[in-house]
């Protein structure tokens, strides 16, 4: 039985993208269900699949996993042949720390710059909290790239769960035209060149749902 992944609109759902891009990049077969956000029936529809009423949720037969980071851990555990986390112990510990930091933090940037995968590039004035988050993200990415990233253009060389967790940040920095270093831009370009990234964007572009409060920013 194939895995089932429950996600929200691809145009606006950052947490969904993390799980989806991981499965797509590592070519792990799955069926997706897309539930549009912000409609009267949204919550009830998500609750049919996910006990906390949030997506993503992954269904593997009788097993349900929710919270993006748990989904990623479950996929890593059930696909040990794929290097979903970096293979080296120190790199893996570092990647997990960054993924957890992303999962728990960066509210300043997340609030100021909501993800919108259809948004034309347009600069906005960033809050101090958002600027502080960008500084931390750039430092964290530069450190990971320098310390562990020799084998490729991603945080730990080859694409891993850490890159999946930060993928929506790439959208934010790009679409809100946030001033970043050349190295940060190079990393963002590598993420945005991934076939799995492009497939997600194409699906987002094709969606007909519109949420005005996100499109207005
Ligand atoms: N911490 C959760 C966040 C999940 C989340 O907030 N998902 C949003 C979509 S991006 C959602 O399900 N919203 C539905 C709602 O609030 O009704 C995770 O990592 O998966």
């Amino acid at each position: 039985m194939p895995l089932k992944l429950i996600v929200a609109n691809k145009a606006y759902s950052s947490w969904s993208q993390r799980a989806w891009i991981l499965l797509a990049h590592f070519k792990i077969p799955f069926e997706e269900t897309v539930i549009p956000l912000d409609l009267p029936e949204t919550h009830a529809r998500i609750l049919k699949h996910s006990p906390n009423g949030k997506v993503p949720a992954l269904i593997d037969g009788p097993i349900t996993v929710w919270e993006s980071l748990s989904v990623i851990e479950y996929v890593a555990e059930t696909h040990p042949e794929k290097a979903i986390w970096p293979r080296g112990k120190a790199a893996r510990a570092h990647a997990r720390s960054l993924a957890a930091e992303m999962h728990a933090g960066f509210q300043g940037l997340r609030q100021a710059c909501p993800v919108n995968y259809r948004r034309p590039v347009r600069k906005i004035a960033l809050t101090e909290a958002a600027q502080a988050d960008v500084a931390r993200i750039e430092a964290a990415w530069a450190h990971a790239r320098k310390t562990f990233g020799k084998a490729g253009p991603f945080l730990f060389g080859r694409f891993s769960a850490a890159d999946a967790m930060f993928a929506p940040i790439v959208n934010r920095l790009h679409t809100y035209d946030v001033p970043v270093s050349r190295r940060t831009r190079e990393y963002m370009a590598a993420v945005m060149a991934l076939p799995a990234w492009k497939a997600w964007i194409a699906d987002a572009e094709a969606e007909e749902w519109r949420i005005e409060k996100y499109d207005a920013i």
Side-chain angles (χ1 to χ4, degrees):
M1 200 187 293
L3 292 173
K4 289 189 185 145
L5 185 68
I6 319 300
V7 296
N9 321 34
K10 291 181 180 169
Y12 310 112
S13 183
S14 59
W15 296 106
S16 299
Q17 194 206 23
R18 295 176 165 99
W20 194 97
I21 201 170
L22 187 93
L23 289 169
H25 176 80
F26 283 100
K27 301 198 182 339
I28 296 168
F30 67 101
E31 291 173 357
E32 68 174 33
T33 298
V34 181
I35 299 178
L37 294 167
D38 229 34
L39 296 177
E41 65 274 22
T42 298
H43 190 61
R45 283 192 66 192
I46 295 178
L47 269 181
K48 284 188 185 157
H49 307 278
S50 179
N52 71 343
K54 303 278 184 196
V55 292
L58 185 76
I59 320 286
D60 186 10
I63 298 172
T64 296
V65 193
W66 64 99
E67 289 288 328
S68 54
L69 200 46
S70 309
V71 169
I72 286 173
E73 287 292 5
Y74 183 81
V75 173
E77 184 183 315
T78 50
H79 294 79
E81 75 286 4
K82 313 254 184 198
I84 290 188
W85 291 108
R87 293 292 192 211
K89 187 175 171 185
R92 192 165 60 253
H94 201 93
R96 281 200 161 106
S97 300
L98 285 183
E101 186 179 350
M102 175 67 251
H103 194 238
F106 304 125
Q107 272 88 359
L109 180 62
R110 284 163 48 196
Q111 273 170 17
C113 302
V115 146
N116 186 339
Y117 293 95
R118 287 192 300 244
R119 185 179 184 275
V121 174
R122 193 173 65 249
K123 202 184 274 298
I124 61 166
L126 288 189
T127 60
E128 272 183 31
Q131 288 178 42
D133 285 347
V134 171
R136 167 62 194 147
I137 289 165
E138 287 207 82
W141 287 358
H143 178 264
R145 290 270 316 117
K146 189 169 171 217
T147 314
F148 301 107
K150 305 277 185 301
F154 299 102
L155 296 177
F156 295 84
R158 293 194 303 168
F159 183 86
S160 76
D163 302 293
M165 285 301 290
F166 279 108
I169 296 291
V170 170
N171 168 262
R172 291 176 158 104
L173 297 182
H174 176 70
T175 191
Y176 293 91
D177 198 12
V178 176
V180 291
S181 71
R182 181 180 53 80
R183 283 187 187 160
T184 297
R185 265 281 154 205
E186 284 168 3
Y187 169 67
M188 290 163 59
V191 173
M192 291 193 288
L194 286 169
W197 173 279
K198 291 181 178 169
W200 176 271
I201 302 291
D203 287 354
E205 297 280 0
E207 285 176 351
E208 290 181 359
W209 303 296
R210 294 281 182 277
I211 302 181
E212 176 56 30
K213 68 183 176 197
Y214 297 136
D215 286 346
I217 298 174

